[in-house]
Amino acid sequence: MTPSLHLLVNGVRREGAVPPTERLLDTLRWRLNLRGTKEGCRSGACGACTVLIDGRPRLSCLTLSHQVGEAPILTVEGLESDPVGRAVLETFVAEAALQCGYCTPGFVVALTGLLKEHPGATETTLLEGLQGNLCRCTGYSSIRRAVTRLSEPKR
Amino acid sequence: MQLLAPTRAEEAIAALLDGPEGRVAVLAGGTDLLLDLDEGKSSPEVLLSLHRLPWRELTWEAERLEIGATLPLAQLEQDPELARRIPGLHEAVGAIGGVALRHQATLGGNLVRASPVSDLIPILLALECEVGLLGSGGERSLPLEQFLLGPRRTALQRGELVRRVWVPALPSAFRWQRVRPANDVSQISVAVAFAPKEERWRIATAGVAPLARRAKAAEAILRGPSPGEEAIAAAGASAAEEAEVRQDRRATDAYRRHLLRTLVLRAIRAVATGVGGQPA
Ligand SMILES: Cc1cc2nc3c(=O)[nH]c(=O)nc-3n(C[C@H](O)[C@H](O)[C@H](O)COP(=O)(O)OP(=O)(O)OC[C@H]3O[C@@H](n4cnc5c(N)ncnc54)[C@H](O)[C@@H]3O)c2cc1C
Ligand code: FES
Ligand code: FES
């Protein structure tokens, strides 16, 4: 049985039949063709699949699409249209805070969520908030530089 | 597999009792259960999701906090009063997974999972919290110590759900040690609470076999709100001695015992200075 589902993804209402136990990660990637959200571990441990649901960072690999309900979903594809998301993207580019880029959607989405939840967050808060996101190639220093810049008070 | 997401408690309980045992699996945040499904450890016919039930209370009473079973841990952590009124619980919640995980994992799920490495069970044992269980006949409450029967075994009966948890607001502390700070399992975690009225210290540890437990011999060594360094050292040694520590790929038993002693000392000192420094 594939009950029908409505999702609000990046401001667009999407609709379709989705099996009851399908993960949001799979619905986004394989039904909605939003391949920016990545699958790393599929077990909650790497953060590559992070999306915002109701503005809060969530792991799409451990969320059933049918559990989301009416709540708006923001994926990496929608970050540009969000002012906080855009600032995060620009800072990652300015600091070249990526190498292969596989972990990057998770990092920028998680950071956007953290900055929205804690406007003016300190560097420590942001770094602690990113502890659930793993990167296997940058060595983290460029990501840290981006975080430092994002935590500086805007003049 | 079918997914049910009732909005009323009665419907949820009725669904649990429908059909043979094992047919229905309860889904809260899914951070344990969905992994079990992936690994084929559980293959229910029906998933009963609790996400539409209004069970996300966070209510301060005079001397305790009521927490709805399905409140995501991140919302508990963000409560402005928590760090001051139940510091040990605030520290323990912040130690779970990463931020995104805490936005979905729930307290109810953590307790029902009854994992030997849970970071919430030790602090809730030390605080002597009560668990509210809802069934077709109404709600009953049990001390957590009686609710936990063993790893993955609880006193929940067929047709019952964890409805809420009551946590006494007490001076408390949580200390843990891991290889990585987030998304890793603690090698040892230690919780300490002090009940000023009874002048009783309570210590619980996890990472010990077979499930987190109180270190009652160590507790009995401590007296009054500011036990001296000598008593604290003796309590740490006693806790390390009475624990049945495990040996696995994360730590040797000798290292675990060493950690346990050290973390007990640190947690007691943290509570003792907190108690001495602030009026009750
Ligand atoms: C990457 C990762 C890191 C983690 N890190 C930690 C950590 O550091 N410390 C730690 O302690 N845990 C950790 N966990 C474990 C996990 O997040 C917790 O056990 C979590 O609190 C479970 O809650 P849930 O809502 O996700 O439960 P679910 O997975 O939905 O359910 C867990 C079990 O409880 C049952 N259940 C859930 N709610 C109820 C209810 N109200 N009534 C009756 N039965 C119920 C379910 O049927 C299931 O058997 C981690 C998990 C992952 C994936
Ligand atoms: S793919 Fe979801 S956390 Fe790794
Ligand atoms: S840039 Fe390659 S995993 Fe992070």
Side-chain angles (χ1 to χ4, degrees), chain B residues 164-215:
Chain B
R164 68 189 101 225
V165 179
W166 290 277
V167 189
L170 294 175
S172 50
F174 178 75
R175 294 290 179 273
W176 46 271
Q177 172 77 28
R178 291 184 193 156
V179 178
R180 289 197 285 126
N183 284 352
D184 194 7
V185 172
S186 302
Q187 294 157 320
I188 285 287
S189 58
V190 170
V192 170
F194 178 68
K197 278 189 201 141
E198 302 91 343
E199 292 229 334
R200 294 249 344 160
W201 287 82
R202 305 189 201 127
I203 304 171
T205 60
V208 295
L211 192 61
R213 60 160 70 167
R214 293 271 293 272

Side-chain angles (χ1 to χ4, degrees), chain B residues 205-245:
Chain B
T205 60
V208 295
L211 192 61
R213 60 160 70 167
R214 293 271 293 272
K216 293 196 174 164
E219 294 175 359
I221 297 172
L222 300 168
R223 304 215 182 282
S226 28
E229 268 304 309
E230 212 170 300
I232 295 178
S238 161
E241 196 175 319
E242 70 183 289
E244 250 180 84
V245 291

Side-chain angles (χ1 to χ4, degrees), chain A residues 11 15 23 33 37 39-40 45 49-50 55 58-59 61 71 76 83 90 93 108 130 144 148 154:
Chain A
E15 173 175 0
R23 309 297 157 89
N33 223 9
T37 305
E39 174 176 331
C49 67
T50 307
R58 295 276 302 266
L59 302 169
C61 71
V76 67
E90 283 165 5
V93 172
V108 292
L130 288 179
R144 283 192 76 131
T148 307
K154 304 276 171 304

Side-chain angles (χ1 to χ4, degrees), chain A residues 25 38-49 59-62:
Chain A
L25 173 66
K38 296 289 184 269
E39 174 176 331
C41 62
R42 209 180 174 81
S43 58
C46 76
C49 67
L59 302 169
S60 63
C61 71
L62 291 183

Side-chain angles (χ1 to χ4, degrees), chain A residues 20 23 44-45 58-59 62 117, chain B residues 1 28 38 78 103-104 183:
Chain A
R23 309 297 157 89
R58 295 276 302 266
L59 302 169
L62 291 183
E117 253 188 318
Chain B
M1 215 179 293
D38 284 345
Q78 285 166 6
H103 272 298
Q104 50 202 87
N183 284 352

